Amino acid sequence: MEGRELPRPPRRIPPGAGSLTQLDSSTSRGPQPPPRQPWLFGRILAGFIVLLIIVAGGAATGWWIRSQNVGPVSPEVIDAAGPEVTETVGQEVMKTAGPAVVRVLATTCAGTGEATGALIDGDRILTAASAIEQALSIVIVTPDHRIRPANLLGTSPDGVAVLQMIGSLDGERLSLAREDPDPKAKRALIGYTAAGEQVMNPIGSAADPTALSEVMNATKLGGPVVDKAGQVVGVVVGRTVQASRIVPLEKLRGYAVPRSTGITAVAGGSCEESRGPQTAIAPELLVANTALAAEVQKLLGNYLTQENRRNFPALQALYSEQLARSITPVKDRRSHRTTYFFGPEITEVSRYAKDGAYARITFNALFSPVTTGADGRRCNRLDNRYRLVREGGRLVIDTAVSMEKPPRSCEAE
């Protein structure tokens, strides 16, 4: 029987309180004159102009060379010795390095919690310390969407954090370059957009660098700087995009080894309430993109976004009148003290009654492992089915039920 309350992940609860339910939870023509013979000087002039365009364009694009007749391709690496490099080089760089460049997500007291990371040998991750400050729970997400928890081993004085992945994970690992790069060697930064898409940007050479502010966003903090072989020659750190900088290879060598003396252990967060990244959530539609599905996508995306931002009064406008009476802002807050939602996918949209809808959505809930009912877990994959009704001409959430009890761990393949 459908319930009225939304299934929720675990929260911090005062001693003596009951357990949470989330974990359970073509005309012919006449004769034409003969064609004119080409003007030799004109042909020479035209060719010269084209050559100038190519040279100018090549100088401007640097790493980025795209083929117009085959569609978008991966960025290319231009070697310091000359520009005669085919797109294969860039594709090989991404093939080598891309799978081991991960997203780092955390729920933190400081309210940061999103960065890029480099998964290296020993299942350690190099990232930006600013992203996991006062973290209660940390996970990494691979390009193919596998999730693994991670512990913070420590941070360095120059802003690098070293994490230790928990559990096994098949796949490639990034290697640190064996030799310091030539100052004129081209480099690239691999990182993620706010929408979770992995990208590679050229950043020039150490001798002639591109300003990081031209390619950076907050989610690329922690991203590895790689050479044309896909090896790590630096990591981008900083508290803000404007203050971002590259920690060089010579420093990273000391941080990447076991029992490093270059990093200092730091305590995790101890707050009662924490937040994850504050970027807007946009669920992926795995159903036909109809007008109704688009409306459902907007509603549920807004719901998850406001939950992550802890804007509980704004959530009331997304609930039906009866649900708003049951779930007050105070109750909402108590139920989501350390929760961060990410990776939503809408798997069902169907009609309900005259103008309502049923919507099924799966998403991940990251939370503190010490909350009541968590049993040491940090992340659950939730599968909820919502009944949506129309009030005042717009869809709102009326009820929700969990389709999988108990929820499965995010680590499940």
Side-chain angles (χ1 to χ4, degrees), residues 31-111:
Q32 300 295 313
R36 295 178 57 185
Q37 294 302 313
W39 185 34
L40 181 59
F41 178 74
R43 295 176 64 184
I44 295 174
L45 179 61
F48 180 68
I49 292 174
V50 170
L51 178 61
L52 285 177
I53 292 174
I54 292 174
V55 171
T61 55
W63 281 51
W64 293 97
I65 295 181
R66 293 186 179 274
S67 173
Q68 299 302 316
N69 56 357
V70 298
V73 296
S74 298
E76 289 196 32
V77 177
I78 302 301
D79 187 86
E84 61 283 350
V85 181
T86 67
E87 66 187 41
T88 303
V89 177
Q91 291 172 341
E92 286 301 315
V93 169
M94 290 299 284
K95 181 180 178 180
T96 300
V101 178
V102 299
R103 297 177 69 194
V104 176
L105 299 175
T107 176
T108 73
C109 301

Coordinates of all heavy atoms in Angstrom, one line a residue, residues 31-111:
P31 N 22.2 25.7 -74.5 CA 23.7 25.6 -74.6 C 24.3 26.6 -73.7 O 23.9 27.8 -73.7 CB 24.0 25.7 -76.1 CG 22.7 25.5 -76.8 CD 21.6 25.9 -75.9
Q32 N 25.3 26.2 -73.0 CA 26.1 27.1 -72.1 C 27.4 27.4 -72.7 O 28.0 26.6 -73.5 CB 26.3 26.4 -70.8 CG 25.0 26.0 -70.1 CD 24.2 27.3 -69.7 OE1 24.8 28.2 -69.2 NE2 22.9 27.3 -70.0
P33 N 27.9 28.6 -72.5 CA 29.3 29.0 -73.0 C 30.3 28.1 -72.3 O 30.1 27.6 -71.2 CB 29.4 30.4 -72.5 CG 28.5 30.6 -71.4 CD 27.4 29.7 -71.7
P34 N 31.4 27.9 -73.0 CA 32.5 27.0 -72.4 C 33.0 27.6 -71.2 O 33.0 28.8 -71.0 CB 33.6 27.0 -73.5 CG 33.3 28.2 -74.3 CD 31.9 28.5 -74.3
P35 N 33.4 26.8 -70.3 CA 33.9 27.3 -69.0 C 35.2 28.1 -69.2 O 36.0 27.8 -70.0 CB 34.1 26.1 -68.2 CG 34.3 25.0 -69.2 CD 33.4 25.3 -70.3
R36 N 35.4 29.1 -68.3 CA 36.6 29.9 -68.3 C 37.7 29.0 -67.7 O 37.5 28.3 -66.8 CB 36.4 31.1 -67.5 CG 35.4 32.1 -68.1 CD 35.2 33.3 -67.2 NE 36.5 34.0 -67.0 CZ 36.7 35.0 -66.2 NH1 35.7 35.5 -65.5 NH2 37.9 35.6 -66.1
Q37 N 38.9 29.3 -68.3 CA 40.0 28.6 -67.8 C 40.5 29.2 -66.5 O 40.3 30.4 -66.3 CB 41.2 28.6 -68.8 CG 40.9 27.8 -70.1 CD 40.6 26.4 -69.8 OE1 41.4 25.7 -69.1 NE2 39.6 25.9 -70.4
P38 N 41.0 28.5 -65.6 CA 41.4 29.1 -64.3 C 42.5 30.1 -64.5 O 43.3 30.0 -65.3 CB 41.9 27.9 -63.5 CG 41.7 26.7 -64.4 CD 41.2 27.1 -65.7
W39 N 42.4 31.2 -63.6 CA 43.4 32.2 -63.6 C 44.5 31.8 -62.7 O 44.3 31.6 -61.5 CB 42.7 33.5 -63.1 CG 43.6 34.7 -63.2 CD1 44.6 35.0 -64.1 CD2 43.7 35.8 -62.2 NE1 45.2 36.2 -63.8 CE2 44.6 36.7 -62.7 CE3 42.9 36.0 -61.1 CZ2 44.9 37.8 -62.0 CZ3 43.2 37.2 -60.4 CH2 44.2 38.1 -60.9
L40 N 45.7 31.6 -63.3 CA 46.8 31.0 -62.6 C 47.2 31.8 -61.4 O 47.3 31.3 -60.3 CB 48.0 30.8 -63.5 CG 49.3 30.2 -62.8 CD1 48.9 28.8 -62.3 CD2 50.4 30.1 -63.9
F41 N 47.3 33.2 -61.6 CA 47.6 34.0 -60.4 C 46.6 33.9 -59.3 O 46.9 33.9 -58.1 CB 47.8 35.5 -60.8 CG 48.2 36.4 -59.7 CD1 49.4 36.4 -59.1 CD2 47.2 37.2 -59.2 CE1 49.7 37.2 -58.0 CE2 47.5 38.0 -58.1 CZ 48.7 38.0 -57.5
G42 N 45.3 33.9 -59.7 CA 44.2 33.8 -58.7 C 44.3 32.5 -57.9 O 44.1 32.5 -56.7
R43 N 44.7 31.4 -58.6 CA 44.8 30.1 -57.9 C 45.9 30.2 -56.9 O 45.8 29.7 -55.7 CB 45.0 29.0 -58.9 CG 43.8 28.8 -59.8 CD 44.1 27.7 -60.8 NE 44.4 26.4 -60.2 CZ 44.7 25.3 -60.8 NH1 44.9 25.4 -62.1 NH2 44.9 24.2 -60.2
I44 N 47.0 30.8 -57.3 CA 48.2 31.0 -56.4 C 47.8 31.8 -55.2 O 48.1 31.5 -54.0 CB 49.4 31.5 -57.1 CG1 49.9 30.6 -58.2 CG2 50.5 31.9 -56.1 CD1 51.0 31.1 -59.1
L45 N 47.1 32.9 -55.4 CA 46.7 33.8 -54.3 C 45.8 33.1 -53.4 O 45.9 33.2 -52.1 CB 46.0 35.1 -54.9 CG 45.5 36.1 -53.9 CD1 46.7 36.6 -53.0 CD2 44.8 37.2 -54.6
A46 N 44.8 32.4 -53.9 CA 43.8 31.7 -53.1 C 44.5 30.6 -52.2 O 44.3 30.5 -51.0 CB 42.8 31.0 -53.9
G47 N 45.5 29.9 -52.8 CA 46.2 28.9 -52.0 C 47.0 29.6 -50.9 O 47.1 29.0 -49.8
F48 N 47.6 30.7 -51.2 CA 48.4 31.4 -50.2 C 47.5 31.8 -49.0 O 47.9 31.7 -47.8 CB 49.1 32.6 -50.8 CG 49.9 33.4 -49.8 CD1 51.0 32.9 -49.3 CD2 49.5 34.7 -49.4 CE1 51.8 33.6 -48.3 CE2 50.2 35.4 -48.5 CZ 51.4 34.8 -47.9
I49 N 46.3 32.3 -49.3 CA 45.4 32.7 -48.2 C 45.0 31.5 -47.4 O 44.9 31.6 -46.1 CB 44.1 33.4 -48.8 CG1 44.5 34.7 -49.5 CG2 43.0 33.6 -47.8 CD1 43.4 35.4 -50.2
V50 N 44.7 30.4 -48.1 CA 44.3 29.2 -47.3 C 45.4 28.8 -46.4 O 45.2 28.4 -45.2 CB 43.9 28.1 -48.2 CG1 43.8 26.7 -47.5 CG2 42.6 28.4 -49.0
L51 N 46.7 28.9 -46.9 CA 47.8 28.5 -46.1 C 47.9 29.4 -44.8 O 48.2 28.9 -43.7 CB 49.1 28.6 -46.9 CG 50.4 28.3 -46.2 CD1 50.4 26.8 -45.6 CD2 51.6 28.5 -47.1
L52 N 47.7 30.7 -45.0 CA 47.7 31.6 -43.9 C 46.7 31.2 -42.8 O 46.9 31.2 -41.6 CB 47.5 33.0 -44.3 CG 48.7 33.7 -45.0 CD1 48.3 35.1 -45.5 CD2 49.9 33.7 -44.1
I53 N 45.5 30.9 -43.3 CA 44.4 30.5 -42.4 C 44.8 29.2 -41.6 O 44.6 29.1 -40.4 CB 43.1 30.3 -43.1 CG1 42.6 31.6 -43.7 CG2 42.0 29.7 -42.2 CD1 41.4 31.5 -44.6
I54 N 45.3 28.3 -42.3 CA 45.7 27.0 -41.6 C 46.8 27.3 -40.6 O 46.7 26.8 -39.4 CB 46.2 26.0 -42.6 CG1 45.0 25.5 -43.5 CG2 46.8 24.8 -41.9 CD1 45.5 24.6 -44.7
V55 N 47.8 28.0 -40.9 CA 48.9 28.3 -40.0 C 48.3 29.1 -38.8 O 48.6 28.7 -37.6 CB 50.0 29.1 -40.7 CG1 51.0 29.6 -39.6 CG2 50.7 28.3 -41.7
A56 N 47.5 30.1 -39.0 CA 46.9 30.9 -37.9 C 46.0 30.0 -37.0 O 46.1 30.0 -35.8 CB 46.2 32.1 -38.4
G57 N 45.2 29.2 -37.7 CA 44.3 28.3 -36.9 C 45.1 27.3 -36.1 O 44.8 27.0 -34.9
G58 N 46.1 26.7 -36.7 CA 46.9 25.8 -36.0 C 47.6 26.4 -34.8 O 47.7 25.8 -33.7
A59 N 48.1 27.6 -34.9 CA 48.7 28.2 -33.8 C 47.8 28.5 -32.7 O 48.1 28.5 -31.5 CB 49.4 29.5 -34.2
A60 N 46.5 28.8 -33.0 CA 45.5 29.1 -32.0 C 45.0 27.9 -31.3 O 44.6 28.0 -30.1 CB 44.4 29.9 -32.6
T61 N 44.8 26.8 -32.0 CA 44.2 25.7 -31.4 C 45.1 24.9 -30.5 O 44.6 24.2 -29.5 CB 43.6 24.7 -32.5 OG1 44.7 24.3 -33.3 CG2 42.5 25.4 -33.3
G62 N 46.4 24.8 -30.8 CA 47.3 24.1 -29.9 C 46.9 22.6 -29.8 O 46.9 21.9 -30.8
W63 N 46.5 22.2 -28.6 CA 46.1 20.8 -28.4 C 44.8 20.4 -29.2 O 44.6 19.3 -29.6 CB 45.9 20.5 -27.0 CG 47.1 20.3 -26.2 CD1 48.2 21.1 -26.1 CD2 47.3 19.2 -25.3 NE1 49.1 20.6 -25.3 CE2 48.6 19.4 -24.7 CE3 46.6 18.1 -25.0 CZ2 49.2 18.5 -23.8 CZ3 47.2 17.2 -24.0 CH2 48.4 17.4 -23.5
W64 N 44.0 21.4 -29.4 CA 42.6 21.1 -29.9 C 42.7 21.1 -31.5 O 42.8 22.2 -32.1 CB 41.6 22.1 -29.5 CG 41.3 22.0 -28.0 CD1 41.9 22.7 -27.0 CD2 40.5 21.0 -27.4 NE1 41.4 22.3 -25.8 CE2 40.6 21.3 -26.0 CE3 39.6 20.0 -27.9 CZ2 39.8 20.5 -25.1 CZ3 38.9 19.3 -26.9 CH2 39.0 19.6 -25.6
I65 N 42.6 20.0 -32.1 CA 42.5 19.9 -33.6 C 41.3 19.0 -33.8 O 41.2 17.9 -33.3 CB 43.7 19.3 -34.2 CG1 44.9 20.2 -34.0 CG2 43.5 19.0 -35.7 CD1 46.2 19.7 -34.6
R66 N 40.3 19.5 -34.6 CA 39.1 18.7 -34.8 C 38.9 18.5 -36.3 O 39.2 19.3 -37.1 CB 37.8 19.4 -34.2 CG 37.9 19.4 -32.7 CD 36.6 19.9 -32.2 NE 36.6 19.9 -30.7 CZ 36.2 18.9 -30.0 NH1 35.9 17.8 -30.5 NH2 36.3 19.0 -28.7
S67 N 38.4 17.3 -36.7 CA 38.1 17.0 -38.1 C 36.7 17.3 -38.4 O 35.8 16.8 -37.8 CB 38.4 15.5 -38.3 OG 38.0 15.1 -39.6
Q68 N 36.4 18.2 -39.4 CA 35.1 18.6 -39.7 C 34.3 17.5 -40.5 O 33.1 17.5 -40.6 CB 35.1 19.9 -40.5 CG 35.7 21.1 -39.8 CD 35.0 21.3 -38.5 OE1 33.8 21.3 -38.4 NE2 35.8 21.5 -37.4
N69 N 35.0 16.6 -41.2 CA 34.3 15.6 -42.0 C 34.1 14.3 -41.2 O 33.4 13.4 -41.7 CB 35.1 15.3 -43.3 CG 36.5 14.9 -43.0 OD1 37.0 14.8 -41.9 ND2 37.2 14.6 -44.1
V70 N 34.6 14.2 -40.1 CA 34.3 13.0 -39.3 C 33.7 13.3 -38.0 O 33.4 12.4 -37.2 CB 35.6 12.2 -39.0 CG1 36.3 11.8 -40.3 CG2 36.6 13.0 -38.2
G71 N 33.3 14.5 -37.7 CA 32.7 14.9 -36.5 C 33.7 15.1 -35.4 O 34.9 15.0 -35.5
P72 N 33.2 15.4 -34.2 CA 34.1 15.7 -33.0 C 34.9 14.5 -32.7 O 34.5 13.4 -32.7 CB 33.1 16.1 -31.9 CG 31.8 16.4 -32.6 CD 31.8 15.6 -33.9
V73 N 36.2 14.8 -32.3 CA 37.1 13.8 -31.9 C 37.7 14.3 -30.6 O 37.6 15.4 -30.2 CB 38.2 13.5 -33.0 CG1 37.5 13.0 -34.2 CG2 38.9 14.8 -33.3
S74 N 38.5 13.4 -30.1 CA 39.2 13.7 -28.8 C 40.3 14.8 -29.1 O 40.8 14.9 -30.2 CB 39.8 12.5 -28.2 OG 38.9 11.5 -27.9
P75 N 40.6 15.6 -28.1 CA 41.7 16.6 -28.3 C 43.0 15.9 -28.6 O 43.3 14.8 -28.2 CB 41.7 17.3 -26.9 CG 41.1 16.3 -26.0 CD 40.1 15.6 -26.8
E76 N 43.8 16.6 -29.3 CA 45.1 16.1 -29.7 C 46.2 16.7 -28.9 O 46.2 17.8 -28.4 CB 45.4 16.4 -31.2 CG 44.5 15.6 -32.1 CD 45.1 15.7 -33.5 OE1 46.3 15.8 -33.7 OE2 44.3 15.6 -34.5
V77 N 47.3 16.0 -28.8 CA 48.5 16.5 -28.2 C 49.4 17.0 -29.3 O 49.7 16.2 -30.2 CB 49.2 15.4 -27.4 CG1 50.4 15.9 -26.8 CG2 48.2 14.9 -26.3
I78 N 49.9 18.2 -29.2 CA 50.9 18.7 -30.1 C 52.3 18.7 -29.4 O 52.5 19.4 -28.4 CB 50.6 20.2 -30.6 CG1 49.2 20.2 -31.2 CG2 51.6 20.7 -31.5 CD1 49.0 19.3 -32.4
D79 N 53.2 17.9 -30.0 CA 54.5 17.8 -29.4 C 55.3 19.1 -29.5 O 55.1 19.8 -30.5 CB 55.2 16.6 -30.0 CG 56.5 16.3 -29.3 OD1 56.5 15.6 -28.3 OD2 57.6 16.9 -29.7
A80 N 56.2 19.3 -28.6 CA 57.0 20.5 -28.6 C 57.9 20.6 -29.9 O 58.3 21.6 -30.3 CB 57.9 20.6 -27.4
A81 N 58.2 19.4 -30.5 CA 59.1 19.4 -31.6 C 58.4 19.8 -32.9 O 59.0 20.1 -33.9 CB 59.6 18.0 -31.8
G82 N 57.1 19.8 -33.0 CA 56.4 20.2 -34.2 C 54.9 19.8 -34.2 O 54.5 19.0 -33.3
P83 N 54.1 20.3 -35.2 CA 52.7 20.1 -35.1 C 52.2 18.9 -35.9 O 51.0 18.7 -36.1 CB 52.2 21.4 -35.8 CG 53.2 21.7 -36.8 CD 54.5 21.3 -36.2
E84 N 53.1 18.1 -36.5 CA 52.7 17.0 -37.4 C 52.2 15.8 -36.5 O 52.8 14.7 -36.5 CB 53.8 16.6 -38.3 CG 55.1 16.1 -37.7 CD 55.9 17.2 -37.2 OE1 55.6 18.4 -37.4 OE2 56.9 16.9 -36.5
V85 N 51.1 16.0 -35.8 CA 50.6 14.9 -35.0 C 49.1 14.6 -35.4 O 48.4 15.5 -35.6 CB 50.6 15.3 -33.5 CG1 50.1 14.2 -32.6 CG2 52.1 15.6 -33.1
T86 N 48.8 13.4 -35.5 CA 47.4 13.1 -35.9 C 46.5 12.9 -34.6 O 47.0 12.9 -33.5 CB 47.4 11.7 -36.6 OG1 47.7 10.7 -35.7 CG2 48.3 11.7 -37.8
E87 N 45.2 12.9 -34.8 CA 44.3 12.8 -33.7 C 44.5 11.5 -32.9 O 44.0 11.5 -31.7 CB 42.8 12.8 -34.2 CG 42.5 11.6 -35.1 CD 41.1 11.8 -35.7 OE1 40.8 12.9 -36.2 OE2 40.4 10.8 -35.7
T88 N 45.1 10.6 -33.4 CA 45.3 9.3 -32.7 C 46.1 9.5 -31.4 O 45.8 8.9 -30.4 CB 46.2 8.3 -33.6 OG1 45.5 8.1 -34.8 CG2 46.3 7.0 -32.8
V89 N 47.0 10.5 -31.3 CA 47.7 10.7 -30.1 C 46.8 11.2 -29.0 O 46.8 10.6 -27.9 CB 48.8 11.8 -30.4 CG1 49.5 12.2 -29.1 CG2 49.8 11.4 -31.4
G90 N 45.9 12.1 -29.3 CA 45.0 12.6 -28.3 C 44.0 11.5 -27.8 O 43.7 11.4 -26.6
Q91 N 43.6 10.7 -28.7 CA 42.7 9.6 -28.4 C 43.4 8.6 -27.5 O 42.8 8.1 -26.5 CB 42.2 8.9 -29.6 CG 41.2 9.8 -30.5 CD 40.9 9.1 -31.8 OE1 41.6 8.3 -32.3 NE2 39.8 9.6 -32.4
E92 N 44.7 8.4 -27.7 CA 45.4 7.5 -26.9 C 45.6 8.0 -25.5 O 45.6 7.3 -24.5 CB 46.8 7.1 -27.6 CG 46.7 6.2 -28.7 CD 46.1 4.9 -28.4 OE1 46.4 4.3 -27.3 OE2 45.2 4.4 -29.1
V93 N 45.8 9.3 -25.4 CA 46.0 10.0 -24.1 C 44.7 9.7 -23.3 O 44.8 9.3 -22.1 CB 46.3 11.5 -24.2 CG1 46.2 12.2 -22.9 CG2 47.7 11.7 -24.8
M94 N 43.6 10.0 -23.9 CA 42.3 9.8 -23.1 C 42.0 8.3 -22.8 O 41.5 8.0 -21.8 CB 41.1 10.4 -23.9 CG 41.2 11.9 -24.0 SD 41.0 12.7 -22.3 CE 39.3 12.4 -22.0
K95 N 42.4 7.5 -23.8 CA 42.3 6.0 -23.5 C 43.1 5.6 -22.4 O 42.7 4.7 -21.6 CB 42.6 5.3 -24.8 CG 42.4 3.8 -24.7 CD 42.8 3.1 -26.0 CE 42.7 1.6 -25.9 NZ 43.1 0.9 -27.2
T96 N 44.3 6.1 -22.3 CA 45.2 5.7 -21.2 C 44.8 6.3 -19.9 O 44.8 5.6 -18.9 CB 46.7 6.1 -21.6 OG1 47.0 5.5 -22.8 CG2 47.6 5.8 -20.5
A97 N 44.6 7.6 -19.9 CA 44.4 8.3 -18.6 C 43.0 8.4 -18.2 O 42.7 8.4 -17.0 CB 45.0 9.7 -18.7
G98 N 42.0 8.6 -19.1 CA 40.7 8.9 -18.8 C 40.0 7.9 -17.8 O 39.3 8.4 -16.9
P99 N 40.1 6.6 -18.0 CA 39.4 5.7 -17.1 C 39.8 5.8 -15.6 O 39.1 5.4 -14.7 CB 39.8 4.3 -17.6 CG 40.1 4.6 -19.1 CD 40.8 5.9 -19.1
A100 N 41.0 6.4 -15.4 CA 41.5 6.5 -14.0 C 41.3 7.9 -13.4 O 41.8 8.2 -12.3 CB 42.9 6.0 -13.9
V101 N 40.6 8.8 -14.1 CA 40.3 10.1 -13.6 C 38.9 10.0 -13.1 O 38.0 9.8 -13.9 CB 40.5 11.2 -14.7 CG1 40.1 12.5 -14.1 CG2 41.9 11.2 -15.2
V102 N 38.7 10.2 -11.8 CA 37.4 10.0 -11.2 C 36.8 11.3 -10.6 O 37.5 12.3 -10.5 CB 37.6 9.0 -10.0 CG1 38.1 7.6 -10.6 CG2 38.6 9.5 -8.9
R103 N 35.6 11.2 -10.3 CA 34.9 12.3 -9.6 C 35.1 12.0 -8.1 O 35.0 10.8 -7.7 CB 33.4 12.4 -9.9 CG 33.1 12.7 -11.3 CD 31.6 12.7 -11.6 NE 31.0 13.8 -10.9 CZ 29.6 13.9 -10.7 NH1 28.9 12.9 -11.1 NH2 29.1 15.0 -10.1
V104 N 35.3 13.0 -7.3 CA 35.3 12.9 -5.9 C 34.1 13.6 -5.3 O 33.9 14.8 -5.6 CB 36.6 13.5 -5.3 CG1 36.6 13.4 -3.8 CG2 37.8 12.7 -5.8
L105 N 33.3 12.9 -4.6 CA 32.1 13.5 -4.0 C 32.1 13.3 -2.5 O 32.5 12.2 -2.0 CB 30.8 12.9 -4.6 CG 30.6 13.1 -6.1 CD1 29.4 12.3 -6.5 CD2 30.5 14.5 -6.4
A106 N 31.6 14.3 -1.7 CA 31.6 14.2 -0.3 C 30.5 15.0 0.3 O 30.1 16.0 -0.3 CB 33.0 14.6 0.3
T107 N 30.1 14.6 1.5 CA 29.2 15.4 2.3 C 30.0 15.9 3.4 O 30.7 15.2 4.1 CB 28.0 14.6 2.8 OG1 27.2 15.5 3.6 CG2 28.3 13.3 3.5
T108 N 30.1 17.3 3.5 CA 31.1 17.9 4.4 C 30.4 19.0 5.3 O 29.4 19.5 4.9 CB 32.2 18.5 3.6 OG1 31.7 19.7 3.0 CG2 32.8 17.6 2.6
C109 N 31.0 19.2 6.4 CA 30.5 20.3 7.2 C 30.7 21.7 6.6 O 29.9 22.6 6.8 CB 31.3 20.3 8.6 SG 31.2 18.8 9.5
A110 N 31.8 21.8 5.8 CA 32.1 23.1 5.1 C 31.2 23.3 3.9 O 31.2 24.4 3.4 CB 33.6 23.1 4.7
G111 N 30.5 22.3 3.4 CA 29.6 22.5 2.3 C 30.3 22.5 0.9 O 29.8 23.1 0.0

